Amino acid sequence: MLAKILLVVGLFGLARSVEQVRYDNYKVYNVRIDDLEQFKLLNSQESSLKLSSWREARHLGESSDLMLPPEYQETFESLLATHNFTYRIKIDNVQMHIDAQKPKQRITSMEWTQYHTLDEIYAWLDVIEERYPDIVTPFTIGDSYEGRPIRGVKISYKEGNPAVFIESNIHAREWITSATITYFIDELLVPRNPAVRDIAQNVDWYIIPVLNTDGFAYSHIVERLWRKSRLQSDPTGRCIGTDLNRNFDYLWMLIGADSHPCSEIYAGPSPESDPEISQLTAYINNSIPEGAIKIYISLHSYGQYVLSPWGHTALEFPEHYPQMMHVAKGFSDALYRRYGTEFTYGSSATTLYEVSGSGKEWAYAVKNIKIPYTIELRDKGELGFVLPPEDIIPVARELTEGFVGMIAAAREIDIL
Ligand SMILES: *[C@@H]1O[C@H](CO)[C@@H](O)[C@H](O)[C@H]1NC(C)=O
Ligand SMILES: *[C@@H]1O[C@H](CO)[C@@H](O)[C@H](O)[C@H]1NC(C)=O
Ligand SMILES: [Zn+2]
């Protein structure tokens, strides 16, 4: 029997009881797909076995990370055996790791030893805005679909700096992204070494720690593995949410996106249908001087990648691909040198999978930002979305080192 936890949540003044989704004894399997038959077989079993994909193989020879409820595991394993799949179990009990992400005792101040809620992150933004008024300029791009403010900070030590723009946690369940980018903000305010001081003082950083505020709140309160926004666009009312990283207005719905509201990669009813995206692009258009942003980063997990355009085709590369790769190598080499963590870099379509309507593609093709990336943080799928809180500081330190290397490489080729 599943133990149900009832929470009473005050949501905009409405008291509602919310049942928290649990994953007791759910397993995550890493399954390699070697031929088309195996591919078709898995697809056909998706709903009958309640398969949920954490990461999907898009090419033969690659592996998918698939989560299954306990009651289907036996059937699934015998299916895998009969059809000669190569597989292993990566996570034995997803709920155990979700529980490990919840602090036994909440500390509301930020020490990067636990995952924080949106309210706690915003309370911390209030603190730094008050403590460093000459360096931190707060901004809000607007409200989310459900009315939560979407806040960011501009960190600037002096006028005339080139800028880097970072949006993080556009996918709700990727908690490591906001956890580490807030640490990076702290580093910029109190640099712990000269290299970080340099990139703090000589670059302006626009950072939105949680872009998908509704989804993030939902992932804390109800469904830890929620990915999308909370837009209600399905006429049947059954399926909720847009994949915000498919909702940008460039080659919207061309490839690697879905028009069905129930899909995890549902692109939304129209480009920029979701206020999170329309207001992000309006903010970049109207509130940041044209040409100021030299690097655009969309921060995600997991897989350890630095991904550049193009997402929509593996057959062509953008004009600035050599520059993109030079700077990605700078990021990747710097953190490997210091921490031994490997990040793979290349275009999305050639390195991971095809995608269109994503932030980095829009940044490049519409806004002419020459260096646009999706960065996928740790890990390579051992724990995926349920990294323990002990990993926040190590991941944040390597991200910081990566940014130092990224800026150095961008300077070498006069991007900054
Ligand atoms: C699985 O492998 C065995 C032995 O290599 C082979 O006899 C069998 O036909 C294969 N089954 C499928 C479904 O490919
Ligand atoms: C933002 O600017 C681009 C051109 O730079 C334009 O194509 C786009 O429609 C604008 N979007 C918004 C929301 O203002
Ligand atoms: Zn993501």
Side-chain angles (χ1 to χ4, degrees), residues 37-237:
E37 229 147 286
Q38 290 184 336
F39 179 77
K40 284 186 192 149
L41 182 78
L42 275 190
N43 272 349
S44 70
Q45 299 298 319
E46 200 171 327
S47 64
S48 62
L49 290 179
K50 294 259 184 319
L51 286 176
S52 112
S53 168
W54 280 27
R55 187 170 52 164
E56 229 165 307
R58 303 286 172 99
H59 304 109
L60 299 181
E62 292 176 355
S63 312
S64 287
D65 292 341
L66 302 166
M67 182 175 72
L68 259 87
E71 58 272 32
Y72 295 102
Q73 288 162 9
E74 216 182 290
T75 317
F76 185 58
E77 285 176 27
S78 67
L79 183 93
L80 293 177
T82 341
H83 294 272
N84 294 340
F85 280 93
T86 304
Y87 78 96
R88 69 193 174 90
I89 295 169
K90 278 186 156 177
I91 302 181
D92 210 49
N93 179 357
V94 171
Q95 188 61 41
M96 206 180 78
H97 297 285
I98 291 178
D99 291 343
Q101 287 190 319
K102 286 186 205 128
K104 279 160 210 73
Q105 215 180 355
R106 281 216 91 80
I107 42 170
T108 48
S109 66
M110 298 279 269
E111 287 163 29
W112 294 278
T113 52
Q114 41 182 257
Y115 289 103
H116 290 283
T117 63
L118 187 66
D119 288 347
E120 288 164 356
I121 292 172
Y122 281 1
W124 177 74
L125 291 182
D126 292 338
V127 171
I128 60 165
E129 288 161 14
E130 200 183 341
R131 194 173 296 162
Y132 307 98
D134 299 337
I135 302 170
V136 178
T137 308
F139 65 88
T140 301
I141 63 167
D143 284 352
S144 66
Y145 176 70
E146 293 179 334
R148 293 179 181 83
I150 302 167
R151 293 173 58 178
V153 287
K154 177 189 179 190
I155 298 182
S156 178
Y157 282 70
K158 62 175 167 54
E159 269 175 48
N161 284 340
V164 175
F165 191 96
I166 302 174
E167 36 100 342
S168 149
N169 233 161
I170 194 171
H171 288 147
R173 62 191 174 189
E174 298 167 6
W175 286 6
I176 193 69
T177 59
S178 51
T180 53
I181 207 64
T182 48
Y183 180 97
F184 178 66
I185 292 171
D186 190 62
E187 279 271 347
L188 293 175
L189 299 173
V190 191
R192 288 163 182 80
N193 70 54
V196 178
R197 183 169 311 118
D198 173 16
I199 67 167
Q201 292 177 347
N202 298 305
V203 177
D204 285 356
W205 298 85
Y206 291 87
I207 299 175
I208 300 177
V210 182
L211 183 67
N212 181 4
T213 51
D214 291 347
F216 185 68
Y218 193 74
S219 74
H220 273 270
I221 300 165
V222 182
E223 155 64 298
R224 173 64 191 88
L225 298 175
W226 191 257
R227 166 185 170 93
K228 299 190 285 179
S229 73
R230 297 293 300 164
L231 182 82
Q232 305 203 11
S233 60
D234 178 9
T236 72

Side-chain angles (χ1 to χ4, degrees), residues 249 272 277-286 290 362 365-368:
D249 194 4
E272 298 195 347
I277 302 308
S278 62
Q279 295 175 126
L280 173 68
T281 59
Y283 179 80
I284 291 174
N285 277 4
N286 305 327
E290 194 71 31
W362 176 85
V366 178
K367 298 310 292 179
N368 304 311

